[in-house]
Amino acid sequence: MPEAVLSVNGLDGHYGDSHVLHGVNFSIRAGEVVTLVGRNGAGKTSTLRAIMGLLPRRSGSIALRGRQLIGLPPHRIARAGIGYVPDDRGIFASLSVAENLALPPRAQAGALSDGEIDALFPRLKERRASPGTKLSGGEQQMLAIARALRTGARLLLLDEPTEGLAPVIVQQIGAILRDLKSRGYTVLLVEQNVHFAASVADRHIVMENGRVVDSLDNAELAADPGRLDRFLGV
Amino acid sequence: MSVQVLSGQLLLGLINGAFYALLSLGLAVIFGVLGIINFAHGAFYMVGAFAAWGLATYLDVGYWPALVLVPLAMGLLGMGVERLMLKRLAGLDPLYGLLATFGLALVLEGTFRQVYGSSGQPYPVPEALQGGVNLGFMFLPLYRGWVVAASIVVCLATWLAIERTALGARLRAVTERPDVAQALGLNVPLLVTVTFGVAVALAAFAGVMAAPVYQANPLMGSNLIIVVFAVVVIGGMGSLSGAILSGYGLGLAEGMTKVFYPPAANIVVFVIMAVVLMVRPAGLFGRAS
């Protein structure tokens, strides 16, 4: 079994007075695509933000290939090799597409080349000079993923990459994620859409009230499709 | 009215505008990146003028070296102020930053007034720029022409560096969304510190250039800074091109008012500010948020 790329143990997180993560535990192996699923407010986005060091207060353990990330500022965490796509995509309006793409410093060797990025995201190539926010939602999402890839990070954290997108764009994002998986990338994504999650991911981690309450792979999900409903149903 | 009077006042207006533009540009950059209204900006400008005077008086260092050394030293001082003082206020109500920099301005001004009084220390025009040229319609003192030209070049270079370079793109990203920028790997705390240092260096550069025109006077900063705040508001908070263009524009407007209705010269900027705020609350070049 490949080693764990990311190990989260006993992770607690706070926003001001509100305690949003309660001892979150999970780990992800190299090359895995894993989803965090759960209701709104279950702590999925907070978990990604805690990993990136964006929560005001966090404690416990987050290890990236054995290196402890608790205590590091966000830019050091990013440079340790994590590509992050926030839930609102984080595209800068005052930067062109090309500037958005070139913004993050190269953290590691082995990043996709500009040619590979262009091949993976042909739509972006045509729109290099446009301001970042003149793109459609789907194009912004692709720009955010492409930008994360340019750093050379081999672990990607994607926060709801399909949210608000048309079905045809969701399919394109799915194809891109499967392509990245075939290239050996490790991906942790927050996803509300269980069908999409099952189509791209190997495994699903279920969160509720700031805790991990279940974990199942695609075979288990197929055998018992109702198992997630308990946590996702309204 | 003679052409001489008109063009003379226009030149004076342009010179004031040159200083407004340099200072309001720095203020706008600081406001964008740190979210702080830097009340100490005028004091840094004043200290820049005194530093040039001090270098000349005590160390016999002339204008041209001072024009390089003073902004460098003041930029380092600014970085120290950011690291030791302003950094601790990040994330708090912006009022704390305003109060802290206001206090710093009072301390700096008070110290210089205590030591040097408030009558001003004369600083000579550098030898190479003494005298002037007759343009036919007016006499242009060389030093004043230099001030306007240097200010335009420095403002333009700063604007280009921010709007057209990769480093500038990082600065714009930090201005917009510091959290996302840092999560993408940008060393945001370092960028913030350097930005503040560069803006302080700009103020000090303006101070050195001002010394031969206005002398080094402990009150020169507070006299100027109120107008410069109005300039930033008129240009649009956070708009760099707005800060530069309204700097020169308002200098000229002041000059013209001196020609046509002198009693209003001191308030024309504030009248314009009031009108702009009524018509376009985001400022002439600001984007409504």
Side-chain angles (χ1 to χ4, degrees):
Chain A
M1 187 175 284
E3 57 154 345
V5 171
L6 183 72
S7 301
V8 174
N9 281 300
L11 176 64
D12 268 45
H14 302 258
Y15 278 110
D17 289 336
S18 65
H19 190 173
V20 291
L21 299 176
H22 303 265
V24 171
N25 293 308
F26 65 87
S27 69
I28 304 175
R29 293 181 296 275
E32 262 192 316
V33 175
V34 176
T35 61
L36 278 180
V37 294
R39 289 194 187 93
N40 281 332
K44 308 175 304 269
T45 292
S46 296
T47 300
L48 294 198
R49 290 179 59 83
I51 294 170
M52 292 313 299
L54 293 173
L55 273 198
R57 200 145 61 84
R58 56 181 186 159
S59 57
S61 163
I62 302 169
L64 177 69
R65 294 183 196 86
R67 179 177 175 193
Q68 186 53 244
L69 300 183
I70 297 273
L72 292 184
H75 61 278
R76 298 272 304 278
I77 294 171
R79 290 178 189 188
I82 304 184
Y84 175 56
V85 176
D87 52 350
D88 61 2
R89 291 144 196 166
I91 300 304
F92 298 100
S94 58
L95 273 64
S96 69
V97 169
E99 284 175 329
N100 264 289
L101 207 49
L103 188 70
R106 297 249 162 165
Q108 293 178 328
L112 292 187
S113 68
D114 289 348
E116 285 171 302
I117 298 259
D118 286 343
L120 208 51
F121 306 93
R123 295 284 290 278
L124 296 180
K125 192 182 171 189
E126 301 158 16
R127 314 222 38 187
R128 276 290 157 85
S130 312
T133 45
K134 288 279 189 287
L135 301 182
S136 71
E139 288 167 338
Q140 286 193 23
Q141 188 63 55
M142 292 185 192
L143 175 56
I145 297 173
R147 184 172 65 183
L149 288 172
R150 266 192 100 262
T151 63
R154 302 290 296 173
L155 169 62
L156 302 179
L157 306 187
L158 312 180
D159 201 341
E160 293 216 48
T162 63
E163 191 190 16
L165 300 182
V168 57
I169 308 289
V170 172
Q171 284 175 20
Q172 288 178 21
I173 303 265
I176 288 165
L177 291 182
R178 281 186 290 272
D179 188 327
L180 292 176
K181 179 177 167 55
S182 72
R183 293 170 193 250
Y185 281 85
T186 310
V187 181
L188 174 62
L189 71 155
V190 167
E191 191 52 67
Q192 302 265 34
N193 178 339
V194 175
H195 295 291
F196 180 78
S199 75
V200 296
D202 305 302
R203 200 153 59 83
H204 313 280
I205 295 168
V206 188
M207 289 191 75
E208 193 171 58
N209 297 328
R211 293 178 178 84
V212 171
V213 290
D214 199 1
S215 171
L216 65 170
D217 60 28
N218 269 338
E220 289 169 304
L221 181 61
D224 182 7
R227 188 161 154 190
L228 282 182
D229 292 350
R230 193 152 61 89
F231 303 106
L232 299 177
V234 278
Chain B
M1 167 190 325
S2 70
V3 178
Q4 275 87 349
V5 171
L6 188 65
S7 47
Q9 286 303 333
L10 278 181
L11 176 65
L12 272 181
L14 209 52
I15 293 197
N16 285 334
F19 292 115
Y20 296 162
L22 279 171
L23 290 178
S24 58
L25 175 61
L27 271 187
V29 171
I30 289 172
F31 179 75
V33 174
L34 285 87
I36 280 178
I37 298 174
N38 180 23
F39 246 92
H41 216 59
F44 290 136
Y45 159 82
M46 177 273 292
V47 175
F50 263 98
W53 173 82
L55 281 177
T57 307
Y58 302 119
L59 300 172
D60 207 21
V61 174
Y63 175 85
W64 300 107
L67 202 53
V68 177
L69 293 175
V70 171
L72 280 179
M74 290 293 293
L76 288 176
L77 182 86
M79 290 188 218
V81 167
E82 198 280 331
R83 275 284 147 113
L84 297 175
M85 212 170 118
L86 302 180
K87 193 183 178 65
R88 295 163 198 272
L89 305 176
L92 296 177
D93 190 300
L95 267 179
Y96 287 93
L98 191 147
L99 285 173
T101 54
F102 186 52
L104 181 63
L106 290 179
V107 168
L108 288 172
E109 272 182 21
T111 306
F112 277 86
R113 198 144 60 144
Q114 181 68 27
V115 178
Y116 297 105
S118 53
S119 60
Q121 307 290 332
Y123 188 88
V125 169
E127 228 167 86
L129 295 174
Q130 282 169 2
V133 286
N134 195 338
L135 299 177
F137 59 94
M138 69 174 290
F139 181 78
L140 173 68
L142 276 182
Y143 187 76
R144 310 215 157 193
W146 151 253
V147 166
V148 173
S151 158
I152 290 176
V153 168
V154 168
C155 284
L156 209 63
T158 308
W159 182 83
L160 279 174
I162 293 172
E163 297 294 336
R164 295 282 182 272
T165 68
L167 185 64
R170 291 178 172 206
L171 214 62
R172 278 175 280 141
V174 173
T175 301
E176 219 179 297
R177 294 284 302 276
D179 54 337
V180 175
Q182 194 169 7
L184 291 173
L186 300 194
N187 190 339
V188 172
L190 181 66
L191 275 166
V192 168
T193 304
V194 170
T195 301
F196 191 77
V198 170
V200 170
L202 275 179
F205 178 81
V208 179
M209 292 224 297
V213 183
Y214 304 123
Q215 305 191 330
N217 185 319
L219 299 179
M220 65 195 288
S222 47
N223 292 342
L224 197 64
I225 198 70
I226 300 300
V227 177
V228 171
F229 278 126
V231 168
V232 174
V233 171
I234 292 167
M237 296 296 277
S239 164
L240 305 185
S241 49
I244 298 171
L245 291 175
S246 28
Y248 292 107
L250 290 166
L252 286 174
E254 262 185 353
M256 296 310 292
T257 313
K258 274 185 193 137
V259 176
F260 294 106
Y261 188 61
N266 287 331
I267 60 158
V268 63
V269 170
F270 303 102
V271 172
I272 294 175
M273 178 175 84
V275 172
V276 166
L277 284 179
M278 278 191 281
V279 181
R280 272 184 70 96
L284 292 179
F285 300 84
R287 284 184 220 105
S289 55

